[in-house]
C-alpha cells in the first residue's frame, strides 16, 4: 500500500466525493469528516514512513500516459512537498469539521473533497503535464465555492479569480511545452518528467525567457505585486472555508512551484532575476502591509497581510541558499497555519454579527475573552513573535537573504514593523476599548465546534515555534540537494557566486581533518 | 546545578501558565499567592546559583536544552549560561519580581483582571530570564521579543482605556523598529562568524576587521536603544506609565528597560574592540541623562517624573558601558533596580491612597497619613540622588569617576550637572507629595496607608537601597574577571576628595532648593496662568520638546494617509483598474466582433471571402519570400539589416 500511497492520497478523496452524492443530506457531514480524517491519517502515515534523512524523491510512482510524448503519471514527495500535503489534508479535515451552517452543505463537502484531490495532486506531481492538470483543476472547485457560497460580489470575484490565474497558467503551459521541446532537441526524446528536466542545462538566454514564462504563471498564483488584486476580492467574497483553504494551501502552489521549477531548472536566470524579484518582494511586504493598515474590513486586513507574508516567502526563496529556501518553505507551512487560523477567527465573528467591519466591533475582549486570547496568539504569530511558528520561517528567510544583500534585507526586515502596525491596530479596534455597540454586548464566546479547529492550530503554532526540528530537518535535507543541483548547473559567474556550493566546503573540511591527522 | 538553573528559569513559566488557567474566572487570591511563591522559588534558585558561583568559585553553568533551529550551517540551540553577569541579572530580576508579585496581590486587590495580571507578570519574568540566561543572540532575541510582548499586554492591561491600548501599541511598534536593527545585527554576526553562540562569536570577533565590527556594534546597539528607550526612541517609556504601577516598577524601571544595557555589557568583548562606537554610546547616554532629567523638572505627573528619571539613569548606565566601565554600568543597573522599584511602589501606594490621582500638586502633606511610604520614598530619592551612604552614591559616583578618569570631561560635566537636576526633581516630587499644605482636601479625598503586607514586601528594597553600597567591593571582585574590570582611580587624592565632596554638596544644595521651593504652604495647584508656566522653556519641557507631537504629525499621520492613498488610489484605481481594463478590452472586442457570427448566411459568406483573400495573399507573400529568400537575404545584408 505504501508504494501507491500518493495515488491513494490523491484519488481517495475524489472517489469518496463521487460516493458522497449518494449519501443522505443528514449524514454528509459525518461522512465528510470521516473521509477527511482518513485522508489526514494517511498523510500522517506518509510522514511517518518518510525517511527524513534522504534528500531525494520518495514513494515514486511511474505510469506511462502518452509515452510517445514522454507524458507520464509520475508522483513523488520530498521534504519540500511532504509537509504541504500533510497541511492540505489537515486543513481539509478541520475545515469540514468546523464548517458552520451552510446552505447546500452536501455540495460544499463534495467540492472540498474534490479540491483536496487537486491540492495533493499539485504537490505530489513530478511530471509537468500532470502538475499542470492538477494546477488548473484546483481552480474549478474554488471557483464554485466562491461563486456559489460567496458574498454579494461573488460572481465578479470568482470569475476574476478564475480568469486571472488561468491566463497566467496558460503562459506557464507554453513555457512547459518549450521546455519539453528543448529537452527533445537536446536528447532526442520527449519528456515532461521534472527529474529529467533537472538534468538539462540550458543556455542563459533560453533560461531567461522560460523563467519569465513560468514566472507569470506562478506570480499570479502567489500572488505577487502587481498581480495581486484578485486576492482581496476572492477573500472578501469567499465563505470562511474558501478563504481558509485559499490562504493556507492554494497560495502555496505558486511559491512551491518557484522552488520546484524555477530554481532548479533555471539557476542562472534565478540568479540574474534575483534583485528585481527581491524588489518586488519588498514592495509586496511594505506596500501591501500599508494597504492592510488602511482597511476597514478585518477580513481584508488578513487578506492583504497574506500578500505581505508571501513577500517574505518569495524573498527567502530567492536567497538561493539553504537557510533562505528552508526558511521560505517553513514559512509556507507557518503562514498556512496562521493565516488559515486567522480566517477561521474572522469567520467566528462573522457568523455572530454578519459583518466584518472593524468599526462595528470594539471591546470584544470583554465579552469574548477566549476568542480574544486565541486571536491574540495568532496575532502574535502573524507578527513573527519568537517561539511561534512564523518566526522560524521569517527569521530564516531574512537571514538567508542577508547573505545576498544587506540593504534589501534591511528594507524587507521592515516586515516586522509594518506587520505589527496593521495587526495591532486591527486588534485594538476589534477587542480593546469599551463595548460601544449594543449588539456586541451579549455575543456568545467561541463554541466547541470552532475550538475543534482553533485549538489544534494554536498548539501547532506554538509547538513548531519551539521545536521546528521535525519539519525543518527533512526540508533542510531536500533543500540542500536543490541548492547543490543549482550550483552544479549554474554557468554564469553571477550564479556561481550567488548560489553556494555545499559539497566543496565539506571536502575542504574533510581534507583539513585528514591533514591534521597526518600531522599528528 | 543544572536543576537549579532549570528551576530558576521555568518556575516563572509554570507560574504564568497556572495563572493563565484562571484568566476567565473571577478574582482568586490564591493565584497571586502561588504565583508569588513560584517566583520566590526562582529567586531562591538564583541565590543558590549565585552562592555556588561566588563562594565555591565554580565554573559558569552552561547547559544546552535542545536544538531550536538547525539548517544549512546555522545551528541555534536553546542554550543557557549562568555566569557572573547573568547571575547578577537573575538576582535583580527575581528579587524585584518576587517583591512586585507580592505587592500586586494588594495593589490589584479590587481589579477584576487579577488572575490575568499574574499570568502576564509571570510571563514577563520568564521572558526576562530567557533574555539574561541565553547563551546565544537568538535566545536573547526570544527573551527580547517576549518581554516586549508582555510589556504590550501589561501596558494595555486596562484595555478599556484608549490611552492604555494606544500606549501599548506605541511601545510595541517602537520596540519593533529597534528590533529590526537588532535582527540585522544578529544576521551580521551570523554571516561573519558562522555562529550565534556568544562564545564562538566573541572569539571570532577578534579576527574581524573594524568596519564589520562597527556595523555589528551599531546595529546591536540600535536594538538596545529601543528596549532601553534611548533618544530618539524614548517616547514610549513615558506613555507606558498607563500600565498598573507594579508593572512600571518591575518592567519600566527595574528590569526590561535595562535589557539594552545588559546587551551592551554582555557584548563587552565586541564593544571593547570598537571604542568609537563605545564613545558614541557614552555620549548618547550622557545626552539622554540630561535630556530626560530636564523633562522631569516641570512634569506634573508623578509616574512620568519617575519614568523620566529612569530614562535619565539608563543614560548613566549607557555612559558607563560606552566608556568601557561595564562593571560600573552593571552595578548601577542593580542599585538602580532596587531604589527605582522602591520609588515606583511607593508611588503606587500614593496613587492608591489618592484614588489614582497623579498630579503631585493636588497632594501635599501626605507624610502624616502615609508615614512609611514617606520614609521609603524619601530614602529611595536620596539613593537616586546619590547621597552618601545610600546605594546611588556608590554606583553613580563611580560612573562620574570613570568618566573623569577616562578624560571625557564633557561627559563628566553633563553627568555631574544631571546629578544636580536629578536631586532637584526627585525632591520636588517628595516635597509636593508629602510636605506642605494638605491640598488634597479640596478634592475630598481621604488617603490611607497601604496594606501592611505591601509595606513589608517593599522592605527588602528599602534595605537594599540603603546598604547596596557595601556590595560594591564584593561585586567588583566577582565580576572582575569576566568583564575585565578595573577600578577607576583618580590620580591625586585631593582631586578625588574635591570631586566627592563637591558632588555631595552640589546635590545636597539641589535637594534643599527643591524643599525650599516646593515644601511650603504657598504651593497652589497650577492653573496655567503663572508667568513661569507661560515661558517658552517651560512649555518646551512640558511638551517633551514637542517630540511626541512631531512623531504624531510627521510620522503617524502621514503613514495613515499614505496607506489610505495606496489603497484607494494605487491599489484600486491603478493596479486593479488596469487588470479590469485589460479584461474589459478583451470582452469589448468580443462584443464588437460578435456581429460576424450572427448566423446570417450572406454575412458569413462575405466574411468567408475576406478570410480567403487574406489567406491567399499571405500564401503568395510567403511563397515569394521563400522562392527569393536568397536574394532577399543579400539585399537585406546589403542594407545592413541582417
Amino acid at each position: 500500500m505504501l508504494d501507491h500511497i500518493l495515488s491513494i492520497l490523491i484519488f481517495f478523496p475524489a472517489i469518496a466525493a463521487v460516493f458522497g452524492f449518494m449519501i443522505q443530506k443528514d449524514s454528509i457531514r459525518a461522512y465528510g469528516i470521516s473521509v477527511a480524517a482518513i485522508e489526514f491519517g494517511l498523510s500522517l502515515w506518509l510522514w511517518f514512513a518518510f525517511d527524513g534523512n534522504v534528500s531525494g524523491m520518495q514513494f515514486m510512482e511511474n505510469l506511462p500516459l502518452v509515452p510517445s510524448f514522454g507524458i507520464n503519471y509520475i508522483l513523488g514527495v520530498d521534504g519540500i512537498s511532504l509537509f504541504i500535503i500533510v497541511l492540505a489534508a489537515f486543513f481539509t479535515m478541520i475545515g469540514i469539521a468546523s464548517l458552520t451552517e451552510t446552505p447546500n452543505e452536501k455540495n460544499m463537502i463534495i467540492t472540498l473533497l474534490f479540491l483536496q484531490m487537486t491540492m495533493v495532486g499539485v504537490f505530489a506531481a513530478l511530471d509537468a503535464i500532470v502538475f499542470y492538470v492538477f494546477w488548473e483543476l484546483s481552480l474549478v472547485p474554488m471557483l464554485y465555492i466562491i461563486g456559489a457560497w460567496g458574498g454579494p460580489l461573488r460572481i465578479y470575484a470568482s470569475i476574476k479569480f478564475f480568469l486571472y490565474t488561468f491566463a497566467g497558467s496558460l503562459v506557464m503551459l507554453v513555457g512547459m511545452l518549450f521546455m519539453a521541446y528543448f529537452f527533445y532537441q537536446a536528447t532526442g526524446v520527449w519528456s515532461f518528467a521534472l527529474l529529467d528536466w533537472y538534468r538539462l542545462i540550458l543556455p542563459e538566454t533560453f533560461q531567461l525567457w522560460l523563467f519569465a514564462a513560468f514566472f507569470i504563471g506562478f506570480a499570479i498564483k502567489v500572488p505577487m505585486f502587481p498581480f495581486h488584486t484578485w486576492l482581496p476580492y476572492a477573500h472578501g467574497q469567499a465563505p470562511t472555508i474558501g478563504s481558509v483553504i485559499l490562504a493556507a494551501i492554494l497560495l502555496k502552489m505558486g511559491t512551491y512551484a518557484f522552488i520546484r521549477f524555477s530554481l532548479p531548472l533555471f539557476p542562472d536566470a534565478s540568479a540574474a532575476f534575483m534583485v528585481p524579484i527581491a524588489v518586488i518582494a519588498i514592495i509586496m511586504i511594505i506596500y501591501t502591509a500599508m494597504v492592510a493598515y488602511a482597511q476597514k474590513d478585518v477580513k481584508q486586513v488578513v487578506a492583504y497581510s497574506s500578500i505581505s507574508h508571501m513577500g517574505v516567502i518569495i524573498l527567502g526563496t530567492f536567497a538561493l541558499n539553504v537557510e533562505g529556501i528552508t526558511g521560505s518553505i517553513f514559512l509556507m507551512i507557518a503562514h498556512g497555519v496562521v493565516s488559515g487560523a486567522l480566517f477561521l477567527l474572522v469567520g467566528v465573528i462573522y457568523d455572530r454579527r454578519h459583518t466584518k467591519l472593524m468599526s462595528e466591533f470594539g471591546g470584544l475582549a470583554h465579552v469574548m475573552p477566549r476568542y480574544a486570547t486565541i486571536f491574540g496568539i495568532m496575532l502574535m504569530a502573524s507578527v513573527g513573535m519568537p517561539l511561534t511558528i512564523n518566526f522560524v520561517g521569517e527569521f530564516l528567510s531574512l537571514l538567508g537573504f542577508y547573505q545576498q544583500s544587506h540593504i534589501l534585507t534591511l528594507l524587507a526586515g521592515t516586515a516586522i514593523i509594518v506587520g505589527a502596525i496593521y495587526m495591532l491596530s486591527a486588534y485594538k479596534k476589534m477587542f480593546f476599548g469599551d463595548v460601544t455597540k449594543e449588539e456586541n454586548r451579549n455575543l456568545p464566546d467561541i463554541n466547541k465546534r470552532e475550538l475543534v479547529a482553533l485549538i489544534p492550530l494554536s498548539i501547532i503554532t506554538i509547538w513548531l515555534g519551539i521545536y521546528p526540528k521535525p519539519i525543518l530537518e527533512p526540508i533542510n535535507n531536500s533543500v540542500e540537494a536543490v541548492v547543490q543541483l543549482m550550483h552544479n548547473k549554474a554557468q554564469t559567474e553571477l550564479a556561481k557566486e550567488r548560489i553556494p556550493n555545499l559539497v566543496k566546503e565539506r571536502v575542504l573540511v574533510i581534507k583539513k581533518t585528514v591533514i591534521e591527522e597526518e600531522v599528528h | 546545578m543544572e536543576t537549579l538553573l532549570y528551576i530558576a528559569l521555568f518556575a516563572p513559566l509554570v507560574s504564568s501558565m497556572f495563572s493563565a488557567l484562571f484568566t476567565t474566572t473571577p478574582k482568586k487570591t490564591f493565584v497571586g499567592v502561588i504565583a508569588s511563591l513560584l517566583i520566590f522559588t526562582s529567586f531562591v534558585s538564583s541565590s543558590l546559583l549565585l552562592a555556588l558561583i561566588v563562594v565555591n568559585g565554580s565554573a559558569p553553568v552552561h547547559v544546552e536544552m535542545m536544538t531550536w533551529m538547525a539548517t544549512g550551517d546555522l545551528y541555534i540551540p536553546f542554550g543557557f549560561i549562568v555566569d557572573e553577569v547573568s547571575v547578577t541579572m537573575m538576582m535583580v530580576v527575581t528579587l524585584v519580581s518576587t517583591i512586585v508579585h507580592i505587592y500586586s496581590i494588594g495593589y490589584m486587590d479590587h481589579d477584576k483582571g487579577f488572575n490575568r495580571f499574574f499570568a502576564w507578570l509571570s510571563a514577563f519574568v520568564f521572558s526576562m530570564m530567557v533574555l539574561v540566561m541565553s547563551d546565544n543572540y537568538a535566545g536573547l532575541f526570544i527573551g527580547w521579543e517576549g518581554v516586549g510582548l508582555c510589556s504590550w499586554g501589561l501596558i494595555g492591561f486596562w484595555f478599556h482605556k484608549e490611552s492604555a491600548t494606544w500606549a501599548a501599541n506605541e511601545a510595541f511598534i517602537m520596540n519593533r523598529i529597534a528590533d529590526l536593527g537588532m535582527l540585522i545585527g544578529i544576521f551580521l554576526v551570523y554571516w561573519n562568524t558562522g555562529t550565534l553562540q556568544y562564545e564562538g562569536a566573541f572569539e571570532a570577533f577578534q579576527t574581524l576587521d573594524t568596519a564589520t565590527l562597527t556595523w555589528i556594534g551599531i546595529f546591536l546597539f540600535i536594538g538596545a536603544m529601543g528596549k532601553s528607550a534611548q533618544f530618539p526612541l524614548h517616547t514610549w517609556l513615558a506613555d507606558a506609565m498607563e500600565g498598573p504601577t507594579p508593572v512600571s516598577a518591575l518592567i519600566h524601571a527595574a528590569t526590561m528597560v535595562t535589557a539594552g544595557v545588559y546587551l551592551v555589557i554582555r557584548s563587552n568583548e565586541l564593544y571593547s574592540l570598537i571604542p568609537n562606537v563605545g564613545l558614541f554610546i557614552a555620549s548618547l547616554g550622557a545626552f539622554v541623562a540630561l535630556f530626560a532629567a530636564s523633562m522631569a523638572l516641570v512634569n506634573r505627573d508623578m509616574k512620568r517624573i519617575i519614568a523620566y528619571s529612569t530614562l535619565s539613569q539608563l543614560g548613566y548606565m549607557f555612559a558607563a558601558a560606552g566608556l568601557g566601565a561595564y562593571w560600573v554600568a552593571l552595578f548601577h543597573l542593580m542599585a538602580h533596580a532596587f531604589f527605582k522599584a522602591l520609588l515606583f511602589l511607593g508611588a503606587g501606594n500614593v496613587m492608591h491612597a489618592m484614588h489614582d490621582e497623579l498630579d503631585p500638586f493636588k497632594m501635599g502633606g501626605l507624610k502624616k497619613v502615609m508615614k512609611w511610604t514617606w520614609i521609603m520614598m524619601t530614602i529611595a530619592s536620596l539613593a537616586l540622588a546619590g547621597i552618601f551612604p545610600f546605594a546611588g552614591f556608590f554606583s553613580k559616583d563611580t560612573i562620574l569617576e570613570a568618566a573623569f578618569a577616562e578624560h571625557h570631561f564633557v561627559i563628566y560635566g553633563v553627568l555631574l550637572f544631571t546629578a544636580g537636576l536629578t536631586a532637584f526633581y526627585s525632591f520636588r516630587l517628595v516635597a509636593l507629595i508629602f510636605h506642605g499644605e494638605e491640598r488634597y482636601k479640596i478634592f475630598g479625598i481621604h488617603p490611607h496607608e497601604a496594606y501592611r503586607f505591601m509595606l513589608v514586601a517593599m522592605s527588602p528594597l528599602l534595605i537594599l537601597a540603603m546598604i547596596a553600597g557595601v556590595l560594591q567591593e564584593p561585586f567588583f571582585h566577582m565580576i572582575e574577571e569576566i568583564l575585565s574590570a578595573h577600578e577607576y582611580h583618580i590620580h591625586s587624592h585631593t582631586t578625588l576628595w574635591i570631586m566627592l565632596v563637591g558632588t555631595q554638596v552640589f546635590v545636597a544644595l539641589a535637594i534643599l532648593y527643591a524643599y525650599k521651593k516646593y515644601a511650603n504652604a504657598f504651593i497652589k495647584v497650577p492653573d496655567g496662568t503663572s508667568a513661569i508656566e507661560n515661558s517658552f522653556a517651560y512649555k518646551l519641557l512640558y511638551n517633551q520638546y514637542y517630540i511626541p507631537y512631531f512623531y504624531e504629525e510627521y510620522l503617524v499621520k502621514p503613514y495613515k494617509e499614505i496607506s489610505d492613498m495606496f489603497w484607494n488610489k494605487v491599489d484600486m484605481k491603478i493596479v486593479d483598474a488596469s487588470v479590469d481594463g485589460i479584461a474589459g478590452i478583451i470582452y469589448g472586442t468580443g462584443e464588437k466582433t460578435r456581429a460576424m457570427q450572427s448566423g446570417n448566411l450572406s454575412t458569413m459568406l462575405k466574411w468567408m471571402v475576406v478570410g480567403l483573400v487574406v489567406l491567399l495573399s499571405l500564401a503568395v507573400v510567403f511563397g515569394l519570400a521563400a522562392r527569393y529568400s536568397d536574394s532577399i537575404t543579400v539585399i537585406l545584408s546589403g542594407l545592413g539589416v541582417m
Side-chain angles (χ1 to χ4, degrees), chain B residues 545-574:
Chain B
Y545 297 95
Y546 293 99
I547 291 171
Y549 173 79
F550 174 82
Y551 286 170
E552 177 68 27
E553 284 299 309
Y554 297 98
L555 294 175
V556 178
K557 279 188 185 163
Y559 187 83
K560 177 85 191 147
E561 276 159 21
I562 294 171
S563 298
D564 281 338
M565 188 199 79
F566 272 170
W567 180 38
N568 292 323
K569 303 271 152 52
V570 181
D571 218 49
M572 289 291 126
K573 297 267 161 63
I574 297 176

Coordinates of all heavy atoms in Angstrom, one line a residue, chain B residues 545-574:
Chain B
Y545 N 9.7 68.6 24.6 CA 10.4 69.1 23.4 C 9.6 68.9 22.1 O 10.2 68.9 21.0 CB 11.8 68.5 23.2 CG 12.8 68.8 24.3 CD1 12.9 67.9 25.4 CD2 13.5 69.9 24.4 CE1 13.8 68.1 26.4 CE2 14.4 70.2 25.4 CZ 14.5 69.3 26.4 OH 15.4 69.5 27.5
Y546 N 8.3 68.8 22.2 CA 7.4 68.6 21.1 C 7.8 67.4 20.3 O 7.4 67.3 19.1 CB 7.4 69.8 20.2 CG 6.8 71.0 20.9 CD1 7.6 72.0 21.5 CD2 5.4 71.1 21.0 CE1 7.0 73.1 22.2 CE2 4.8 72.2 21.7 CZ 5.6 73.1 22.3 OH 5.1 74.2 23.0
I547 N 8.5 66.4 20.8 CA 8.9 65.3 20.0 C 7.7 64.3 19.8 O 7.4 63.9 18.7 CB 10.0 64.5 20.7 CG1 11.3 65.4 20.6 CG2 10.3 63.2 20.1 CD1 12.5 64.8 21.4
P548 N 6.9 64.0 20.8 CA 5.7 63.2 20.6 C 4.8 63.9 19.5 O 4.2 63.2 18.7 CB 5.0 63.1 21.9 CG 6.0 63.4 22.9 CD 7.0 64.4 22.3
Y549 N 4.7 65.2 19.6 CA 3.8 65.9 18.7 C 4.4 65.8 17.3 O 3.7 65.5 16.3 CB 3.8 67.4 19.1 CG 3.2 68.3 18.1 CD1 1.8 68.4 18.0 CD2 3.9 69.1 17.2 CE1 1.2 69.2 17.1 CE2 3.3 69.9 16.3 CZ 1.9 70.0 16.2 OH 1.3 70.8 15.3
F550 N 5.7 65.9 17.2 CA 6.4 65.7 15.9 C 6.1 64.3 15.3 O 5.8 64.2 14.1 CB 7.9 66.0 16.1 CG 8.7 65.7 14.8 CD1 8.8 66.7 13.8 CD2 9.4 64.5 14.7 CE1 9.6 66.4 12.7 CE2 10.1 64.2 13.5 CZ 10.2 65.2 12.6
Y551 N 6.3 63.3 16.2 CA 6.1 61.9 15.7 C 4.6 61.8 15.2 O 4.4 61.2 14.2 CB 6.3 60.9 16.8 CG 7.8 60.7 17.1 CD1 8.2 60.0 18.2 CD2 8.8 61.2 16.3 CE1 9.5 59.8 18.5 CE2 10.1 61.1 16.6 CZ 10.5 60.4 17.7 OH 11.8 60.2 17.9
E552 N 3.7 62.3 16.0 CA 2.3 62.2 15.6 C 2.0 62.9 14.3 O 1.4 62.3 13.4 CB 1.5 62.8 16.7 CG 0.0 62.8 16.5 CD -0.6 61.4 16.5 OE1 -0.1 60.5 17.2 OE2 -1.7 61.2 15.8
E553 N 2.5 64.1 14.1 CA 2.2 64.9 12.9 C 2.9 64.4 11.7 O 2.4 64.4 10.6 CB 2.5 66.4 13.2 CG 1.5 67.1 14.0 CD 0.1 67.1 13.5 OE1 0.0 67.5 12.3 OE2 -0.8 66.7 14.2
Y554 N 4.2 64.1 11.9 CA 5.1 63.8 10.7 C 5.4 62.4 10.5 O 5.9 62.0 9.4 CB 6.3 64.6 10.8 CG 6.1 66.1 10.9 CD1 6.0 66.8 12.0 CD2 5.8 66.8 9.7 CE1 5.7 68.2 12.0 CE2 5.5 68.1 9.7 CZ 5.4 68.8 10.9 OH 5.1 70.1 10.9
L555 N 5.0 61.5 11.3 CA 5.2 60.1 11.1 C 3.9 59.3 11.1 O 3.5 58.6 10.1 CB 6.2 59.4 12.1 CG 7.6 60.0 12.0 CD1 8.4 59.4 13.1 CD2 8.2 59.7 10.7
V556 N 3.2 59.4 12.2 CA 2.0 58.6 12.3 C 0.9 59.0 11.3 O 0.4 58.2 10.5 CB 1.4 58.7 13.7 CG1 0.2 57.8 13.9 CG2 2.5 58.2 14.7
K557 N 0.6 60.3 11.2 CA -0.4 60.7 10.3 C -0.1 60.5 8.9 O -0.9 60.0 8.1 CB -0.8 62.2 10.6 CG -1.7 62.4 11.8 CD -2.2 63.8 11.9 CE -3.0 63.9 13.2 NZ -3.1 65.3 13.6
P558 N 1.1 60.9 8.4 CA 1.5 60.6 7.0 C 1.4 59.1 6.7 O 1.0 58.7 5.6 CB 2.9 61.1 6.9 CG 3.0 62.1 7.9 CD 2.2 61.7 9.1
Y559 N 1.8 58.3 7.7 CA 1.7 56.8 7.4 C 0.3 56.4 7.1 O 0.0 55.7 6.2 CB 2.3 56.1 8.6 CG 2.4 54.6 8.4 CD1 3.5 54.1 7.7 CD2 1.4 53.7 8.8 CE1 3.6 52.7 7.5 CE2 1.5 52.3 8.6 CZ 2.6 51.8 7.9 OH 2.8 50.5 7.7
K560 N -0.6 56.9 7.9 CA -2.0 56.6 7.7 C -2.5 57.1 6.4 O -3.2 56.5 5.7 CB -2.8 57.3 8.9 CG -4.3 57.1 8.8 CD -4.7 55.8 9.4 CE -6.2 55.5 9.1 NZ -6.5 54.1 8.9
E561 N -2.1 58.4 6.1 CA -2.5 59.0 4.8 C -2.0 58.2 3.6 O -2.7 58.0 2.7 CB -2.1 60.5 4.8 CG -3.1 61.4 5.5 CD -2.5 62.7 5.9 OE1 -1.5 63.1 5.3 OE2 -3.0 63.3 6.8
I562 N -0.7 57.9 3.7 CA -0.1 57.2 2.6 C -0.8 55.8 2.4 O -1.0 55.4 1.3 CB 1.4 57.1 2.7 CG1 2.1 58.4 2.7 CG2 2.0 56.2 1.7 CD1 3.5 58.4 3.1
S563 N -1.0 55.2 3.6 CA -1.7 53.9 3.5 C -3.1 54.0 2.8 O -3.4 53.2 1.9 CB -1.9 53.3 4.9 OG -0.7 53.1 5.5
D564 N -3.8 55.0 3.2 CA -5.1 55.2 2.6 C -5.0 55.5 1.1 O -5.7 55.0 0.3 CB -5.8 56.4 3.2 CG -6.5 56.0 4.5 OD1 -6.7 54.8 4.7 OD2 -6.7 56.9 5.4
M565 N -4.0 56.3 0.8 CA -3.7 56.6 -0.7 C -3.4 55.3 -1.4 O -3.9 55.1 -2.5 CB -2.6 57.6 -0.8 CG -2.5 58.2 -2.1 SD -0.9 58.9 -2.3 CE 0.2 57.5 -2.5
F566 N -2.5 54.5 -0.8 CA -2.1 53.3 -1.5 C -3.3 52.4 -1.8 O -3.4 51.8 -2.9 CB -1.1 52.5 -0.6 CG 0.3 52.9 -0.8 CD1 1.3 52.5 0.0 CD2 0.7 53.7 -1.9 CE1 2.7 52.8 -0.1 CE2 2.0 54.1 -2.1 CZ 3.0 53.7 -1.2
W567 N -4.2 52.4 -0.8 CA -5.3 51.5 -1.0 C -6.3 52.1 -2.0 O -6.6 51.5 -3.1 CB -6.0 51.3 0.3 CG -7.2 50.4 0.2 CD1 -7.3 49.3 -0.6 CD2 -8.5 50.5 0.8 NE1 -8.6 48.7 -0.5 CE2 -9.3 49.4 0.4 CE3 -9.0 51.4 1.8 CZ2 -10.6 49.3 0.8 CZ3 -10.3 51.2 2.2 CH2 -11.1 50.2 1.7
N568 N -6.8 53.3 -1.8 CA -7.8 53.9 -2.6 C -7.3 54.3 -4.0 O -8.0 54.1 -5.0 CB -8.4 55.2 -1.9 CG -9.1 54.8 -0.7 OD1 -9.8 53.8 -0.6 ND2 -9.0 55.6 0.4
K569 N -6.1 54.9 -4.0 CA -5.7 55.4 -5.3 C -4.9 54.4 -6.1 O -5.2 54.0 -7.2 CB -4.8 56.6 -5.1 CG -5.5 57.8 -4.3 CD -6.3 58.7 -5.3 CE -7.5 59.3 -4.6 NZ -7.2 60.0 -3.4
V570 N -3.8 53.8 -5.4 CA -2.9 53.0 -6.2 C -3.6 51.6 -6.4 O -3.7 51.1 -7.6 CB -1.6 52.9 -5.5 CG1 -0.6 52.0 -6.3 CG2 -1.0 54.2 -5.3
D571 N -3.9 51.0 -5.3 CA -4.4 49.6 -5.5 C -5.7 49.5 -6.3 O -5.8 48.6 -7.2 CB -4.5 48.9 -4.1 CG -4.0 47.5 -4.1 OD1 -2.9 47.3 -4.6 OD2 -4.8 46.6 -3.6
M572 N -6.6 50.3 -5.9 CA -7.9 50.2 -6.6 C -7.9 50.9 -7.9 O -8.4 50.3 -8.9 CB -9.0 50.8 -5.7 CG -9.3 50.0 -4.4 SD -10.1 48.5 -4.8 CE -9.1 47.3 -4.1
K573 N -7.4 52.1 -8.0 CA -7.5 52.9 -9.2 C -6.5 52.6 -10.3 O -6.7 52.8 -11.4 CB -7.5 54.4 -8.8 CG -8.6 54.9 -7.9 CD -9.7 55.4 -8.7 CE -11.0 55.5 -7.9 NZ -10.9 56.4 -6.7
I574 N -5.3 52.1 -9.9 CA -4.3 51.9 -10.9 C -4.1 50.4 -11.1 O -4.4 49.9 -12.2 CB -3.0 52.5 -10.4 CG1 -3.1 54.1 -10.3 CG2 -1.9 52.2 -11.5 CD1 -1.9 54.8 -9.9

